[in-house]
Structure formats: C-alpha cells, structure tokens
Amino acid sequence: MAKELTGKVYDIQGFSIQDGPGIRTTVFFKGCPLTCPWCHSPESQSFAPQLSWLAARCIGIDTCGRCLPLCPRGALSPGERVQRPGTGEEIRLVRIDRSSCDVCGACARGCYPKALEICGTDYTLDDLLARVLRDRPFYENSGGGVTVSGGEPLCQPKFVLPFLEKLKEAGIHTALDTTGHVPADVVQGALAHTDLFLYDIKQMDGALHRAATGVSNERILDNARLIAAGGGKIQIRVPVIPEFNDSDAAIREIGVFCLSLGAAVEMVQLLPYHNLGVVKYQRIENRGKVLEAVPPSEARMHELVALLKSLGLDATLH
Amino acid sequence: MYVLSPVTDRVAAIREKYRTAKPSICTARYRIVTDYYRENPQLQGILKRAKNFLNICERLPVLVNPNEVIVGWQATRYRACALYPEISFGWFLDELAAGTIPKRDTDPYDISDEDTRYLLETGDYWRKESLSAKVDEYIPLGYFGAAGSGVTYFGTTGTCTSPTGHFVANFETALHRGFGAIRAEAEEKMSELEGRMYGNGAERYNFYRAVTIVSEGMIILSRRYAEECARQAALETDPARKAELLEMADSLGWIMANPCRSFHDAIQCMFLYQIGLCLDAQQHGISFGRVDQYLAPFYEADLAAGRITPERAQELLDLFYLKVAEMNKIWPYFATLSGPGYTSGQLMTLGGVTRDGRDATNPVTFMMLQSSGRLLLHDPPQSLRIHKGTPPELWDAAIETTRIAGGVPTFQNDDVIIPALMARGLPLESARNYCLIGCVEPQGCGDEWACPGGNGTESFFNLLNAFLLAINDGHNPMPAPDGSRGGRVGLPTGYLYEMETFDEVLDAVRQQIEYFVGWHISLVNTWEMVASEHMQLPLLSATVDGCMESGRDVMKGGARYNSTGNAAIAIGNIADSLAVVKHLVYEERSVSARELYDAIMADWEGHEELRQRILNEAPHYGNDNPDVDCFARWATDVYGDAVNAATGPRGRWAAGLFPVTAHVLFGMSTAASPDGRKAGTPLSDGISPVQQMDRSGPTATLRSVSVIDQKKFSNGTLLNMRFHPTALASESGKEKLIALIRTYFDLGGMEMQFNIVSADTLRRAQEVPEDYRDLVVRIAGFSAYFVELYRASQEDIIRRTELNL
C-alpha cells in the first residue's frame, strides 16, 4: 500500500487574528526557498524536522536527566550550570552535539518538560482538516477562516492544494500566506481555492532581493501579476527592514508595483522589522545569517504608510 | 465609537476622597442594636426584627455631607462599615482582641481605642445571642463524623457567618407604589384578620404587622434625611447649594411614603431602600437588579418634560455609584481570603430582553457603563445581559468599558440563562426578567427567593477533595494545621491501588460527591430552619412578589418562586485528575496506581519526573481534547444532578459552578492531586482550565468549557479570561473579541468576564503599588483594586493564562 500523503507542519495556531479577516486558524508549513536574515520563524526554513531546545523549560539533569541515555548516538551530555528562571534553583542543563544528532526524536519523546522538542509534524489531509474544522463556529461568527502559511506552503503543493480545495468544499474562507517564489502552475492551482492571498513584496530591485533573500524577485512579481490577472484578491505585505527597503524610494517602488496590479490589491500592510526572532535561532542553533538591527521607529513607519496612501493605496501598519 | 466624557469637579472630589479614605469600623448600629436586644428579650421572631429595624431608623445618625446629592448611610464616617452582631460576632471579637483587624494583609479596617474597649466589654453578650451561636446548637449528630472532609467546608462551631444576604428586592414596587401604599395594604390585611385568626392566621397577621412597622421605619428614615437637608439649607449661604439642599429635602420628604416622581426621586429611593435592607439584614451580596429598566421611564419622562439634562442625570448616576462604592462590610479574615478587595457584591444588571422578549437596551444602559468607565470603582459590579438582538453600539460600549474598568461589565447569556431558570420553575416572563445576584447568580428580579449563596455561609463544594477522599478510603489526605491526620470522614470507598478498573474509580468518586452533596444540603437546610425563626426579612418581603399575597416572609417561603443555590469549585483539577488516572494508570499502564498514589501522598516529593510528565504529556482540560473534557462534563453532571434533585424547606436546590476566590482559599487546605498540583496551591478557577494548562488558545478553551452542560447550572457559571491589552487596541481586535463571546454563547456558554491587563503591568503594580492605585482587576463576580489584594490572590490573577488577540 502506498504511503498516505502527508504535509509537514511546524505549528498550528488557533485564534489567529493577524493573518486575514476574522478569527482564524493558521497552519504553518515547514520549509522555505528563501533565507531572509530577518525571518522571525527560523524553524520554518528547513524542510527537514529539527531538534528544538528551550533551556528555560529544562528542570535539570540531576532531577530528571532522562534524555541523556535515550540518545542512540551519544549526542547529549551534561552541560553548564545555570539558575532556573522563576525558582532561582541551580540546575545543570544538557548539552547537544548537533554534529552527532540525526534528529531521531528519541530524546524529545522522553523529555517531559518539553525542553527538547522535534519541530515538524506530518499530518494527513483528513487529520489536518478535522483539526482546523473544530473551530468552525468561531470562523462563522467572525467572518474568519483558515490561513495556510509557512515557511512556504506552496513548496508542498501535492498536499497544500488539495487541502485548500477541501477547505473550500467545506465552505471555509481560505487565506494563503505565500512568498510567491514557486512555479506559476502551482500558483495557478491555488488561485481557484484561495479567497485571499497574503503576498510578500520585499524589494523591487532584483539584485538587492537576491542578495538578501537568496533568490531573485522575478518569479515573485510575475506570480503576483498572474494572481491579479486571474481574479485573485491580494493583501500585499512588506516587511520594512533597516537599510534594505526602508527608504522612501524603495517603498514607493513597491507601491507603484502594487498600483500596477489594479483592483486585485485590497490593502498594503507594512510590517516593521523586529528582533524578537533572534532567540528562536538559538533554539535550533540555526547557523544561517541573522540580522540584528535597530527596528524602525513608529514615526518612520507612519511616514511610510502615509507615503503609500499618497499614491492612492489603502495602506496600514500590521 | 464609544467615548467617555469627563466627570464633574464634585464627582472627581468625592472619588478622590473614596480612593484615599481608609475603611474603618463604626459602632453606631452596634450600639443601637445591642441596647435594643438587651432591653427586649420578650420579643422574638419577625416582630423582634421589625421593631429592631424601626428602632435603627429612628436613632441612627443621619449625615448629609457637603457635595452629596444622593444620601444614605449605614455608618457615621466615610467608608466606615456597620456591625451586625445579631448575625455572627465571635470571630470579630477574637480578631479584635488579637489586634489584627487594622493590620491584616487583606481588607484591614481602622478602629478607635475607645470603640475597641467598648466592643470587648459588651460583645460577649452576642457570643450566645448571635444567630451563628444558635445555629451551632442544631448541628445534626451524624455530621460530627463527616466534618473536616474538605469537600463541604462547614465545621462544627461558628458555622453560620451569613444566613441572610444574596437577594434582590422588588425595587419597582418601592419606586412606583412606595411604602405608604405597602403599609396601607398590610393594615388592610390585618383588619381582615382581626378577630378571625383561624389556621395560620396569627402568623400571617404577625407578618403584616411586621410589614407595617418596617414600612414606617423606611418612611421615618427618609423623613429624617429630609429634615437634615432642610436644616442645612437654612444655614447655607451659597444659593446654588441651598437650592439643591431644598430639592433634596423635597425628594426625601416625598419618596418612601409616595410613588417616585422623577429620576432624582427614583435614584434616591432605590439607594435609601438599599441602605435600609443592609441595615436590617447585613450587607452581603444584596444586589440592585435591573437598574436600567427601573430608571429609564423616569429619565425619559424628565427629559421630555425638560426637567433634567443628560449631563445632570449622568452626574446623579455617578454620585449614586460613589455611594455604593463607599459601602463596606468587614468579614472574618478567612472569608476575606475568598473575597478580597472590600467588595460588597451589590451587583447591578443591565441590558437583556424585556418581559415580552424585546431588546431592553435604553439610554440608562449606556449611562451605567459610562459611570463605571469613568469612575473606575471596585464596586458596584455590573452584569450585561446579552441576547441575539443586543445592539452593536451596546456591544461597543461594553467592550470598551470592560477594557478600562477592570472586567466591568461581565457578559451573561440570555439564551442559556432564561431556559435554565424556566427549568427550575420560573415562567417565561419572569425568567426573561432575571437579574444577577452577588457574583454571577441568576434569579427572578423581584419575585424569587433563590438564596444563591445558600443559608449559612458562602456555600462552596470542593469537587477535587471528593476525588481525593474517593481514592483514599474516605480520609482527607491533607493534615490538619497541627500536622495530625484525622480519622475517616467520607465513605470507605477503598484506596486507588486497590481499584482494579477505572470504572471503580469513577464509582468511588460518584459516591463521595453524592454523599457530601447530601451533607452539605442537610446542613444548609438546617441553618435555614433556624434562621427562618430568628432572622426573617420583613423589609425585603414587603416588596418581593408573593409575600403580601401569602402573608409569609421570604424566609418562610412567601416569595412567588423559590430555590436554594450552591456552587462547586475545582472543575479543572478533577477533570485533569480523572484523565491522568484513566490514561496513565488504567490505559497505558505506564504508571502503577500505587506509584501515583504514593506520589501525591508525598506531595510529589521524590516524584518530580512523574509530575513533569503529567504536567506536560497528559491531556489537560481546556485544549479541546474530548478525552479529558468528558471528565469535566462527567464530574459536573454528577454534582449538578445531585444538587438539582435535592429540596429545601421552600423548594428545590440549584447547582452552580463559580468560586469567588474560594479556589485560592480552599486550595490552601487541599492536598496534592494527580493532575500535578502540589498541596496548598490554588485550585482551578471557576469553570476555567487549570492555570497555565490551557495551551491551545482561547477558541480551544471555549470549546472545552462548553462541554459542560451549563444550562444545568442555574445558580451560575463563571469563566475568567485574561487578554493582553494590545488585543483590544484596534477596532478589529474588539470585533474579534465580540465574535469570540458570541461564539461561546452559541456553544452554550452562560457567562464570561475579562481582565485586559498584561502580566508585566501586574508585576510592576506589585513593585510600585503607589503608581497603580487605580488599577482595577476582575477577581470573580466582582472587581477590586489590584494593589489592595493579598499576595496569593495577586499571584492567582497573574497566573491566569494571558491571551493575545
């Protein structure tokens, strides 16, 4: 018997209210073709499961220590002594040798305080649908629904497209949060089952875009045009990143592009860069590039919103 | 969008005084009542109570402070409380002698040395004369073997601290007919009975006689205030204040004897009747009912006739709220732990539907929210009734008010409460006219004696201890304060490690719950039997529908509809404990019953690994997981069915699920439990999941708590939720909160209340209390200033899971 189709999900957030209208459930799919250094969910980048480590939850190997003998590759060993947050009690943490770890998950299954966790769970279509449909009464009262996000959900098209289709069959409002950096036929496939695209435009200059995110913006802009031409509705989202796209000129160019998409663009949201994601890099010891910069001021963000409004766009701060 | 307008200078000045005056104890009522009781041993029963009230009305000093427009006092100093020695007094004398009252860590009261001396000299008289002492004589013999269970909290001495309270009068009768007409009706009934007192005629005659006496008392009290206003007017040099005092004198001289004529009359009459009820019965959860419904006809008539402006009406309402806020009642220290923050539970109800099912929103509904929002008081609490046709503007005003006013108002669901009240015997029109009492207890407004706090004392039932007794052969595993362990107090249901199947565990728990529901109700019914002899309430009965027709006091079943209430706590803990036992011990068999039993008996000492596993890997109520939510349903069904099937002297019992802060107090005396909870720590709050165990967001929590059959709990349910303030910063955040409430109500939820405050802010308030003087937080059915709470109660609020919108 063929293995049942599954999608790799790293989080499901109920009562999600920043990602589309009303009360929503957002499903975060794992894996992304971009490597933006400002990414606030670094655990979304890799397509493979990862071992996540949160020291604040560890109760110490002297009290517990269950994880140490569970590792078949000997990747865990006694680590540094620290004061436990909250109680102040001195405990000895565990040390992870990432080079020996093959993410088998044995330690995480045995870690009761959930200091060690495997990030990335396989869901079947039926299980995931049943999970998100439980909150249907909340969607109906609030004009909400389900948001498919990531990572880049459209990198798992064999799972995500039927998932969207089944949501629409069930009468659920669907939003798709995408980078747009996927083949055109996949976007075309999503168009029929997506009520709203949450679509990132980060930079109009292709070279700058490639330098920061690792990929060119060509495909992203083409796919935005494809959605607009195909009758899709779009909320454009622009992460405002210091010294990358926080100039008037860069934002204006994005605004002009949005205007070129016509009535498809319902709104442009500006998301100020924040550095709260840095701790998450530590949790998975992501050795990729991390941007640590001073977030743009609220006043500056309002200036940029005003700039977009002056172009005739409906712009807001996220 | 809903906006708050600024208060007048006068209101601001009184509010500042309220916020800076330390509560104190006034002995004026005590002195009058003590003299009266000592001089009148020949009087008993309702006549004694009626004449006692009349005597108070004739003698208690009447005060009219500068700036006051709405008047009425129980005491002779601002924010002072009266004493009610005829209810219970031993605890007070003990705390007074110990010198702890001005210093205790929650709800301290100042008292003068002279008053202390006087009370200690004269107080012993009440040790045997108070109702509490009388009740103790009637404790059923069998209960001495069941006391100390920690399931039902009655001891064997000082059991009865609050036999009366938790009611609402029929204010519409007081406003529209007045006590002059009531007295005339009672006199007519008496004259019909003169010389014809057959059957129970003498008892009825005596009731009507008591009604004439208390009606006279109300009229005298009002007239004395009128005279004081007139006296001050004669001396007043400021013409504006002089005119105002004359207006007050006119109102006070008219109301009570006659029907109210104006908005001012109506507010004054409502408040002074409330003062009368408190002076008579002690101030304990005496609620105002549907204030917007009483006041709107007067307001609209005055407005149409040009007799009042909206600004003046709002100021009168503000002044009324400040009068309610200044009222205090001292509680025993232990009781204060379950209701801290000087609350007096004078709950007001607004919104909802009319008796004929139309939306009841009116201008006064909005004015009431306005007063709460701009005054930021700890009292009065307010409950907003929600129905399918609640207008969007009212939703908007209510959400904005709850954000800024520390959880005022609460949200109540007409669609669940009305059918729940009909199931306990109210007809449709009366059920539609319900109000909330005390904290969250629904009751017919002016026609029901529902006794939601029970007779005797706050009537809580600890489900978790019933579970612990069930797995410990009927022994309470929590040692007494001296470290001793008593004998068996419950049924001999065996030990967990002797039970071969999970069904045996369930059966043992069911037996203990039913056994202690039986005891709890037996005791409260006993207290009622005693209290109905000594503590009848003719001033209340004078207006409550049914009493004048039947010639019987509410305490004797005279009200048109009757019930008695109870409330269970620790729903989250018992659900999680049952789930842990089922899944770990009887399904996975990954932990032996003996190991789990030993772990909790050792308060988890040496078993931290198992505890962590339970906290983090076992299913927990509140995450939309049917495998554990089913036990919240099961336990509440067992409890609710047992309570609802019971009867009292006046009719049936009604179950509820709310804690005040009894979950903190009772947690202190509850041993460790299989859900990972350590001994002495708080129990779960209301029907909420165990603190910090709801990890799947608010929609999952609401689906879980909706598994409980809430319409079965006509004595009320309570659900606290805490949101981070950013949640309500935007209009769309407010809309989403409204959708959240509406969905919970569609799913069968009865009540919901909020704290919109971050943990960071609460921590800062602990560190720098002087900067957070006006930070009001929701506790249970009431709110309080956060900085006035004792530490454990503060921590409990911080531990409520913080949600983001």
Side-chain angles (χ1 to χ4, degrees):
Chain A
M1 199 181 101
K3 190 167 173 275
E4 198 179 348
L5 180 66
T6 58
K8 197 166 285 301
V9 169
Y10 76 88
D11 198 10
I12 299 175
Q13 193 190 342
F15 200 63
S16 163
I17 59 171
Q18 305 290 356
D19 301 312
I23 295 173
R24 314 187 69 82
T25 297
T26 301
V27 182
F28 295 91
F29 285 88
K30 197 157 160 46
C32 185
L34 278 61
T35 50
C36 309
W38 56 80
C39 180
H40 52 70
S41 0
E43 69 275 29
S44 72
Q45 293 178 356
S46 165
F47 289 89
Q50 284 165 297
L51 179 64
S52 167
W53 159 246
L54 186 58
R57 289 187 185 158
C58 183
I59 59 171
I61 57 170
D62 300 325
T63 312
C64 173
R66 282 172 52 88
C67 54
L68 297 176
L70 286 174
C71 180
R73 299 169 67 99
L76 302 177
S77 56
E80 58 179 331
R81 289 193 169 277
V82 297
Q83 283 207 331
R84 201 174 157 197
T87 66
E89 163 199 10
E90 194 185 90
I91 56 166
R92 185 189 287 277
L93 298 175
V94 64
R95 179 167 42 222
I96 308 166
D97 175 5
R98 296 272 176 182
S99 63
S100 306
C101 173
D102 67 349
V103 200
C104 72
C107 61
R109 282 190 293 277
C111 177
Y112 298 142
K114 299 223 185 299
L116 289 160
E117 282 184 295
I118 292 295
C119 178
T121 307
D122 290 331
Y123 275 87
T124 65
L125 268 178
D126 286 346
D127 286 352
L128 191 59
L129 270 172
R131 169 71 180 77
V132 299
L133 289 178
R134 293 189 70 84
D135 273 357
R136 178 196 278 270
F138 295 94
Y139 312 149
E140 286 172 355
N141 263 327
S142 66
V146 172
T147 298
V148 171
S149 182
E152 175 46 67
L154 293 182
C155 283
Q156 302 183 45
K158 284 186 183 154
F159 184 90
V160 168
L161 295 183
F163 179 59
L164 287 168
E165 185 175 357
K166 283 185 181 296
L167 286 170
K168 284 319 297 174
E169 279 170 13
I172 302 292
H173 180 279
T174 55
L176 176 62
D177 186 355
T178 176
T179 64
H181 187 74
V182 289
D185 62 317
V186 173
V187 174
Q188 191 69 49
L191 198 50
H193 314 302
T194 302
D195 293 309
L196 178 67
F197 286 85
L198 308 173
Y199 204 93
D200 269 24
I201 304 283
K202 303 174 174 77
Q203 172 60 262
M204 294 304 291
D205 182 310
L208 284 175
H209 195 282
R210 178 186 290 278
T213 69
V215 304
S216 159
N217 63 3
E218 212 169 307
R219 199 184 222 185
I220 295 170
L221 302 179
D222 283 348
N223 280 332
R225 293 184 193 105
L226 189 153
I227 294 166
K233 291 181 181 168
I234 311 176
Q235 261 186 31
I236 299 287
R237 299 175 144 195
V238 184
V240 178
I241 311 299
E243 297 181 15
F244 170 65
N245 66 358
D246 62 341
S247 67
D248 284 6
I251 297 295
R252 185 176 293 112
E253 279 181 46
I254 291 172
V256 168
F257 175 74
C258 293
L259 285 174
S260 77
L261 297 175
V265 175
E266 295 190 326
M267 187 193 286
V268 182
Q269 290 186 317
L270 296 185
L271 294 74
Y273 160 83
H274 64 72
N275 47 22
L276 302 175
V278 173
V279 63
K280 292 199 194 166
Y281 285 81
Q282 294 158 357
R283 287 187 65 175
I284 52 170
E285 291 186 32
N286 180 319
R287 300 198 196 287
K289 45 191 180 167
V290 187
L291 176 71
E292 289 191 62
V294 179
S297 71
E298 212 178 317
R300 176 62 186 153
M301 291 303 297
H302 284 291
E303 281 173 22
L304 293 175
V305 167
L307 188 158
L308 289 172
K309 284 186 173 169
S310 73
L311 297 176
L313 288 161
D314 185 0
T316 61
L317 277 187
H318 186 264
Chain B
M1 200 190 108
Y2 178 75
V3 288
L4 295 175
S5 51
V7 298
T8 60
D9 291 347
R10 156 166 43 201
V11 168
I14 297 178
R15 194 211 175 258
E16 184 58 23
K17 182 169 153 189
Y18 146 80
R19 213 48 209 106
T20 48
K22 184 172 174 194
S24 60
I25 286 168
C26 163
T27 56
R29 182 187 185 280
Y30 172 92
R31 288 168 191 262
I32 295 166
V33 172
T34 302
D35 290 348
Y36 178 80
Y37 263 64
R38 282 175 173 282
E39 287 159 17
N40 291 283
Q42 78 288 4
L43 280 169
Q44 286 302 325
I46 193 170
L47 216 50
K48 182 165 195 164
R49 292 302 298 166
K51 290 189 174 183
N52 179 59
F53 177 71
L54 174 63
N55 187 51
I56 294 170
C57 292
E58 286 169 340
R59 289 169 205 274
L60 192 75
V62 291
L63 300 178
V64 177
N65 273 6
N67 275 340
E68 278 195 328
V69 181
I70 304 301
V71 298
W73 297 74
Q74 289 191 90
T76 55
R77 268 191 318 278
Y78 192 75
R79 282 207 89 184
C81 79
L83 295 172
Y84 314 88
E86 67 270 48
I87 306 290
S88 68
F89 209 54
W91 62 267
F92 179 80
L93 290 171
D94 295 341
E95 287 191 37
L96 189 65
T100 51
I101 286 173
K103 298 185 294 204
R104 56 194 206 177
D105 64 357
T106 180
D107 298 25
Y109 285 82
D110 279 343
I111 182 165
S112 74
D113 291 345
E114 191 209 321
D115 280 342
T116 302
R117 231 179 355 261
Y118 168 75
L119 289 167
L120 289 175
E121 275 165 16
T122 56
D124 279 342
Y125 165 76
W126 292 107
R127 285 189 188 270
K128 289 207 166 167
E129 185 56 37
S130 68
L131 182 63
S132 180
K134 292 171 183 170
V135 161
D136 286 352
E137 300 291 329
Y138 290 83
I139 291 170
L141 299 176
Y143 185 66
F144 290 90
S149 66
V151 185
T152 187
Y153 275 81
F154 297 117
T156 51
T157 55
T159 44
C160 178
T161 55
S162 185
T164 59
H166 273 117
F167 57 70
V168 63
N170 190 330
F171 282 98
E172 285 180 316
T173 296
L175 299 178
H176 292 291
R177 291 186 65 209
F179 286 92
I182 293 168
R183 182 179 56 189
E185 185 187 348
E187 283 167 352
E188 199 183 314
K189 299 272 193 189
M190 286 167 72
S191 68
E192 285 169 17
L193 284 162
E194 296 285 358
R196 283 185 289 276
M197 290 174 221
Y198 308 125
N200 69 349
E203 199 174 337
R204 285 163 54 222
Y205 181 86
N206 205 36
F207 168 77
Y208 293 124
R209 186 168 172 178
V211 169
T212 64
I213 294 167
V214 294
S215 298
E216 181 67 15
M218 267 330 302
I219 293 166
I220 286 173
L221 186 64
S222 189
R223 197 170 290 147
R224 288 179 62 219
Y225 276 103
E227 285 159 5
E228 175 61 16
C229 290
R231 188 189 67 79
Q232 291 191 16
L235 303 173
E236 181 61 53
T237 52
D238 172 12
R241 177 64 179 164
K242 189 185 192 79
E244 191 170 64
L245 283 163
L246 289 172
E247 201 183 317
M248 290 159 65
D250 173 65
S251 177
L252 287 153
W254 176 266
I255 59 167
M256 296 304 167
N258 303 290
C260 295
R261 306 156 297 183
S262 66
F263 184 70
H264 179 172
D265 276 359
I267 287 188
Q268 179 63 74
C269 176
M270 196 167 56
F271 183 68
L272 199 59
Y273 184 23
Q274 178 79 353
I275 285 285
L277 291 165
C278 293
L279 280 171
D280 180 36
Q282 82 157 347
Q283 177 188 322
H284 175 209
I286 301 184
S287 299
F288 278 101
R290 304 187 73 182
V291 173
D292 57 345
Q293 304 306 302
Y294 317 149
L295 290 181
F298 293 101
Y299 175 63
E300 283 167 341
D302 280 9
L303 208 56
R307 287 191 296 258
I308 202 164
T309 63
E311 293 74 25
R312 173 65 174 173
Q314 188 71 59
E315 185 186 38
L316 285 175
L317 199 68
D318 285 352
L319 293 168
F320 166 49
Y321 273 42
L322 283 162
K323 288 300 290 181
V324 175
E326 80 181 41
M327 294 166 74
N328 281 323
K329 182 195 165 221
I330 186 166
W331 282 91
Y333 177 67
F334 75 85
T336 303
L337 293 178
S338 77
Y342 296 107
T343 186
S344 61
Q346 301 182 73
L347 184 56
M348 300 181 183
T349 302
L350 52 160
V353 295
T354 58
R355 285 186 179 89
D356 54 3
R358 289 171 298 115
D359 176 51
T361 311
N362 63 46
V364 181
T365 318
F366 290 91
M367 289 163 65
M368 290 171 71
L369 292 173
Q370 182 81 203
S371 286
S372 276
R374 66 188 195 166
L375 294 176
L376 296 180
L377 307 171
H378 79 296
D379 262 356
Q382 299 199 115
S383 287
L384 175 64
R385 288 177 42 178
I386 295 294
H387 65 105
K388 291 276 191 295
T390 297
E393 316 83 75
L394 183 56
W395 270 111
D396 185 36
I399 294 288
E400 183 61 12
T401 308
T402 207
R403 181 179 73 80
I404 55 184
V408 176
T410 63
F411 296 81
Q412 312 280 343
N413 186 6
D414 277 9
D415 293 335
V416 169
I417 294 175
I418 292 171
L421 289 171
M422 290 176 72
R424 83 175 187 209
L426 265 62
L428 177 61
E429 287 207 347
S430 176
R432 279 176 176 157
N433 191 44
Y434 81 89
C435 65
L436 288 308
I437 307 291
C439 287
V440 293
E441 301 94 304
Q443 173 179 320
C445 189
D447 59 4
E448 189 184 19
W449 178 241
C451 213
N455 287 289
T457 189
E458 286 291 349
S459 205
F460 296 106
F461 191 90
N462 183 350
L463 285 169
L464 183 62
N465 240 36
F467 170 92
L468 291 173
L469 264 61
I471 62 165
N472 197 33
D473 201 29
H475 297 268
N476 183 353
M478 191 70 171
D482 64 3
S484 67
R485 288 179 195 265
R488 182 184 290 127
V489 285
L491 296 174
T493 45
Y495 294 93
L496 180 64
Y497 50 82
E498 297 169 345
M499 299 176 188
E500 286 176 9
T501 65
F502 183 63
D503 282 345
E504 284 180 46
V505 179
L506 285 181
D507 192 51
V509 175
R510 173 194 296 277
Q511 285 183 50
Q512 300 286 1
I513 291 175
E514 290 176 349
Y515 178 72
F516 282 102
V517 164
W519 263 126
H520 191 101
I521 287 174
S522 298
L523 292 167
V524 176
N525 285 346
T526 305
W527 311 160
E528 176 162 337
M529 174 191 76
V530 184
S532 68
E533 289 306 312
H534 299 282
M535 209 56 65
Q536 291 182 50
L537 301 167
L539 182 63
L540 174 68
S541 305
T543 62
V544 169
D545 291 356
C547 296
M548 288 296 279
E549 291 93 316
S550 64
R552 271 182 295 157
D553 191 272
V554 288
M555 297 282 280
K556 290 285 189 186
R560 191 166 293 157
Y561 309 108
N562 282 280
S563 55
T564 307
N566 180 249
I569 61 170
I571 289 95
N573 301 111
I574 192 171
D576 285 1
S577 293
L578 284 166
V580 163
V581 169
K582 179 179 184 210
H583 295 296
L584 268 54
V585 177
Y586 293 95
E587 280 184 358
E588 283 182 9
R589 298 188 175 273
S590 56
V591 180
S592 73
R594 183 78 218 197
E595 186 186 352
L596 183 62
Y597 175 86
D598 288 345
I600 60 173
M601 292 302 152
D603 195 12
W604 300 104
E605 200 67 45
H607 301 271
E608 183 59 19
E609 190 182 306
L610 175 59
R611 183 168 168 269
Q612 287 297 330
R613 182 170 156 208
I614 287 168
L615 289 177
N616 293 293
E617 300 227 317
H620 290 274
Y621 168 63
N623 297 285
D624 195 15
N625 178 348
D627 290 345
V628 51
D629 296 348
C630 64
F631 292 118
R633 171 70 186 246
W634 180 85
T636 54
D637 273 351
V638 170
Y639 156 79
D641 291 344
V643 170
N644 290 339
T647 54
R650 296 168 290 100
R652 60 159 277 187
W653 273 69
L657 302 171
F658 58 87
V660 195
T661 53
H663 63 292
V664 179
L665 175 66
F666 293 177
M668 292 175 188
S669 57
T670 301
S673 40
D675 56 340
R677 193 188 134 275
K678 290 189 170 179
T681 59
L683 304 170
S684 56
D685 156 53
I687 55 172
S688 302
V690 172
Q691 295 83 345
Q692 317 269 327
M693 288 295 132
D694 47 340
R695 294 166 172 157
S696 309
T699 56
T701 299
L702 294 176
R703 287 185 53 85
S704 287
V705 300
S706 305
V707 167
I708 295 171
D709 186 7
Q710 298 195 30
K711 63 183 182 303
K712 192 176 272 184
F713 298 91
S714 67
N715 196 37
T717 72
L718 185 148
L719 179 67
N720 272 306
M721 288 194 126
R722 184 158 74 82
F723 284 92
H724 194 277
T726 53
L728 289 182
S730 70
E731 285 301 306
S732 78
K734 286 178 200 166
E735 282 164 19
K736 287 169 187 182
L737 184 60
I738 292 168
L740 194 74
I741 301 170
R742 285 181 43 206
T743 308
Y744 176 54
F745 285 0
D746 286 351
L747 292 171
M750 183 182 275
E751 190 266 5
M752 211 175 176
Q753 55 186 42
F754 301 93
N755 272 311
I756 314 290
V757 61
S758 72
D760 288 347
T761 300
L762 296 172
R763 287 280 176 221
R764 277 201 304 278
Q766 284 182 321
E767 285 158 22
V768 202
E770 54 278 17
D771 289 355
Y772 292 87
R773 191 188 70 157
D774 290 333
L775 176 64
V776 181
V777 292
R778 193 77 194 165
I779 311 283
F782 59 94
S783 295
Y785 291 104
F786 183 75
V787 299
E788 290 183 357
L789 298 173
Y790 66 105
R791 192 78 182 191
S793 178
Q794 290 183 342
E795 293 295 328
D796 180 60
I797 289 166
I798 294 173
R799 272 167 52 87
R800 290 178 192 167
T801 304
E802 179 172 301
L803 302 162
N804 288 297
L805 277 173

